[in-house]
Amino acid sequence: MKAAAYQRNGEPDVLTIHDIADPVVGPATVLIRVAHAALQGGDLLSRRNTPPPGDTPHVVGYQASGVVEAVGAEVAGLRPGDRVAGFAFAGSHAELFAVGDNHAYPVPDGLDLSVAAAVPVEFGTAHDGLFEYGRLKPGETVLVRGAAGGVGIAAVQLAHQAGARVIAVAATSERLNRIAELGADHLIDYEAEDVVERVKALTNGRGADLVLDMAGGDPLFGACAFKGRYGLVGASGGTSTKFGFEDLSLQSLTVFSFVYGKEMGTPRARGVIAELMARAAVGELTMPVERSFSLADAGEAHAFAEKARPLGRVLLDMQGAR
């Protein structure tokens, strides 16, 4: 099969096309013929920072959608020809993508595979951040920092539909206006405004009940309400978040974080993803696709995702880029 892989870490141009052996189908493997691979923030970080194992080219990529090509002898409930989205910590940037059977998620009729490619990680992460860990309740105020990315866009929709007041933080008025159409009640351009001051003004000095932070870097604890919750979900800004005891204790804050990839194979998470897929299939949830690239242009796709500030997702389209 053909795959976009790297043999050393670096800039997007380290991704080149290789002819490599098809993945081995083990007893619990689902082999997917990829239609669309949705670029994740982790894909970009892996290319930059995760050394390839051994001397063979390393195929990057967490998530893709497509059609089941083959299944292992122990796989139940899926067969060749079924439409699925799949997750693994590597391998999606290829014509064939092997995942464990507990990481293959059926795609309902009516849901386009280009949208399904961006449901499990994006909406699942947002759902856990808002509800499993964030304990969001109707009527509360949630601040979504990094609202233009995949998880941020998912969080805006899920929080809005759950009856929360949503404050979205991103850059540029053009992107923020598009986010408003997805359910954000208030918009903050972090390049033009002081986020903490604006949140305080919007909440009569109280602050947000819950902050979901996909950007990382300096935390926005000042934007939290007393006894608020702060979710460290990502670090798309490229820097880690550091804080001390007094940063939390003076406001009685709760800080949480999680790695959703470690949850995705559990029965609980699979049930949530199935519900999210069903909601996407009837149009309740959507994921904007900023641009699609061919597999041969995977390096260009990575560069675009890093530098062009896309809204939503960038796809590798194995059926021909649009």
Side-chain angles (χ1 to χ4, degrees):
M1 69 174 184
K2 293 189 180 299
Y6 63 88
Q7 293 178 282
R8 59 181 176 83
N9 297 119
E11 297 296 323
D13 59 6
V14 301
L15 279 179
T16 55
I17 301 302
H18 298 259
D19 287 303
I20 63 175
D22 293 353
V24 175
V25 179
T29 298
V30 175
L31 186 63
I32 303 168
R33 183 161 293 280
V34 175
H36 305 276
L39 267 63
Q40 309 292 322
D43 299 348
L44 310 180
L45 292 173
S46 293
R47 189 206 73 238
R48 284 190 174 277
N49 303 321
T50 303
D55 297 326
T56 59
H58 180 61
V59 182
V60 73
Y62 285 178
Q63 186 167 270
S65 65
V67 175
V68 175
E69 181 86 357
V71 298
E74 297 176 3
V75 175
L78 289 173
R79 59 185 181 182
D82 288 346
R83 302 189 324 141
V84 296
F87 170 82
F89 282 106
S92 75
H93 289 26
E95 293 175 322
L96 295 170
F97 183 32
V99 304
D101 60 348
N102 61 333
H103 288 100
Y105 312 99
V107 174
D109 292 342
L111 180 57
D112 192 280
L113 286 173
S114 64
V115 177
V119 170
V121 167
E122 292 83 348
F123 284 93
T125 301
H127 193 281
D128 261 20
L130 291 169
F131 306 113
E132 180 72 10
Y133 297 95
R135 309 186 308 279
L136 183 66
K137 300 178 181 63
E140 289 191 317
T141 297
V142 57
L143 175 67
V144 180
R145 185 188 195 190
V151 176
I153 284 172
V156 167
Q157 294 174 73
L158 292 172
H160 170 72
Q161 293 178 25
R165 180 189 186 194
V166 182
I167 304 173
V169 178
T172 79
S173 59
E174 188 273 334
R175 293 198 303 170
L176 284 164
N177 288 336
R178 291 170 65 188
I179 294 167
E181 297 173 358
L182 300 173
D185 298 288
H186 303 284
L187 310 170
I188 301 176
D189 183 344
Y190 69 84
E191 293 183 330
E193 302 177 85
D194 184 289
V195 175
V196 172
E197 288 184 3
R198 181 74 191 288
V199 171
K200 289 291 189 181
L202 289 170
T203 59
N204 295 319
R206 183 175 180 275
D209 300 287
L210 172 64
V211 175
L212 278 195
D213 187 347
M214 275 64 73
D218 292 336
L220 297 176
F221 292 150
C224 288
F226 182 69
K227 293 186 178 180
R229 292 95 70 195
Y230 199 99
L232 296 168
V233 181
S236 62
T239 58
S240 60
T241 301
K242 298 179 180 179
F243 54 89
F245 171 73
E246 289 187 355
D247 295 324
L248 309 183
S249 62
L250 294 176
Q251 290 178 261
S252 298
L253 298 181
T254 297
V255 175
F256 64 87
S257 190
F258 59 98
V259 177
Y260 190 61
K262 294 184 177 180
E263 297 278 342
M264 292 178 67
T266 65
R268 179 193 69 81
R270 288 182 59 82
V272 169
I273 292 170
E275 175 192 342
L276 295 168
M277 287 281 197
R279 291 171 67 180
V282 296
E284 290 182 14
L285 303 173
T286 189
M287 180 59 62
V289 175
E290 187 75 9
R291 189 172 167 188
S292 293
F293 294 80
S294 67
L295 179 62
D297 294 325
E300 184 181 347
H302 274 231
F304 182 81
E306 287 183 341
K307 300 173 183 176
R309 287 183 165 176
L311 180 79
R313 276 294 170 247
V314 175
L315 299 183
L316 294 181
D317 183 355
M318 309 302 177
Q319 301 168 334
R322 293 188 295 275

